[in-house]
Amino acid sequence: MSLDDIDRRILTALQRKGRMSNSDLSEQVHLSPSACHRRVQSLESEGYIQGYVALLNARKMGVPTTVFVEITLQGQADEVLDAFEKAVARIPAVLECHLMAGSADYLLKVVAENTEDFARIHRQFLARLPGVGQMQSSFALRTVCNTTALPV
């Protein structure tokens, strides 16, 4: 399936407001409600739309501190990578984990209540991850832009 202009308008609208009704969406993209619904179902079944979520306010949820952690492993064997990835995926405070090209092997996005809470997360979870050779943490001072919307 290749995306046409209507599909792109649907995806753009849903990225801005995923809870809008089919009726509102169909008006916004200039389609009948039934045609719009079929398009959305097709975008879902083809995997363009992976799911729908509620985006929570980190400050109100008590985790306003964002820390980016660069991790270098002791080795690059598949077993080491697999063990690390399985373990890091079980840490609730880790929002993202990316295998990287460059000086670090992984880049993590971690949320915490404050620096003391991050120290606890570091001691109890990050320092115990399998295969870790080196870790460097950088605290975000301010979020300049933050979006989940992909370019359509």
Side-chain angles (χ1 to χ4, degrees), residues 28-59:
Q28 196 168 349
V29 299
H30 309 294
L31 275 181
S32 70
S34 59
C36 184
H37 183 68
R38 280 193 303 277
R39 291 275 190 139
V40 170
Q41 284 182 318
S42 177
L43 290 165
E44 290 170 349
S45 67
E46 291 292 324
Y48 287 96
I49 299 173
Q50 292 182 329
Y52 300 88
V53 299
L55 300 175
L56 305 182
N57 181 313
R59 185 167 303 286

Side-chain angles (χ1 to χ4, degrees), residues 9-18 20 25 40 49 52:
R9 289 197 309 261
I10 290 171
L11 292 172
T12 299
L14 287 175
Q15 283 190 107
R16 272 190 252 128
K17 188 176 176 187
M20 80 170 59
L25 179 60
V40 170
I49 299 173
Y52 300 88

Side-chain angles (χ1 to χ4, degrees), residues 2-149:
S2 63
L3 298 177
D4 63 15
D5 286 342
I6 294 171
D7 293 326
R8 291 179 197 287
R9 289 197 309 261
I10 290 171
L11 292 172
T12 299
L14 287 175
Q15 283 190 107
R16 272 190 252 128
K17 188 176 176 187
R19 286 190 62 179
M20 80 170 59
S21 69
N22 184 62
S23 175
D24 290 343
L25 179 60
S26 66
E27 275 184 44
Q28 196 168 349
V29 299
H30 309 294
L31 275 181
S32 70
S34 59
C36 184
H37 183 68
R38 280 193 303 277
R39 291 275 190 139
V40 170
Q41 284 182 318
S42 177
L43 290 165
E44 290 170 349
S45 67
E46 291 292 324
Y48 287 96
I49 299 173
Q50 292 182 329
Y52 300 88
V53 299
L55 300 175
L56 305 182
N57 181 313
R59 185 167 303 286
K60 291 208 179 267
M61 294 304 298
V63 287
T65 303
T66 301
V67 186
F68 295 94
V69 182
E70 293 179 329
I71 295 180
T72 304
L73 299 180
Q74 295 169 342
Q76 296 290 314
D78 284 343
E79 314 79 66
V80 175
L81 299 174
D82 290 342
F84 175 85
E85 290 175 8
K86 284 183 179 114
V88 79
R90 291 191 297 266
I91 303 172
V94 175
L95 299 186
E96 298 177 19
C97 175
H98 304 274
L99 176 63
M100 303 297 289
S103 59
D105 294 315
Y106 288 92
L107 177 65
L108 280 54
K109 180 179 179 182
V110 179
V111 292
E113 293 173 21
N114 50 38
T115 57
E116 292 82 15
D117 186 42
F118 178 72
R120 179 193 60 80
I121 293 165
H122 186 281
R123 269 191 326 277
Q124 290 181 355
F125 299 105
L126 302 179
R128 296 179 184 182
L129 288 167
V132 172
Q134 190 175 5
M135 211 178 322
Q136 180 174 327
S137 303
S138 300
F139 285 77
L141 299 177
R142 180 168 50 104
T143 300
V144 176
C145 71
N146 181 19
T147 182
T148 61

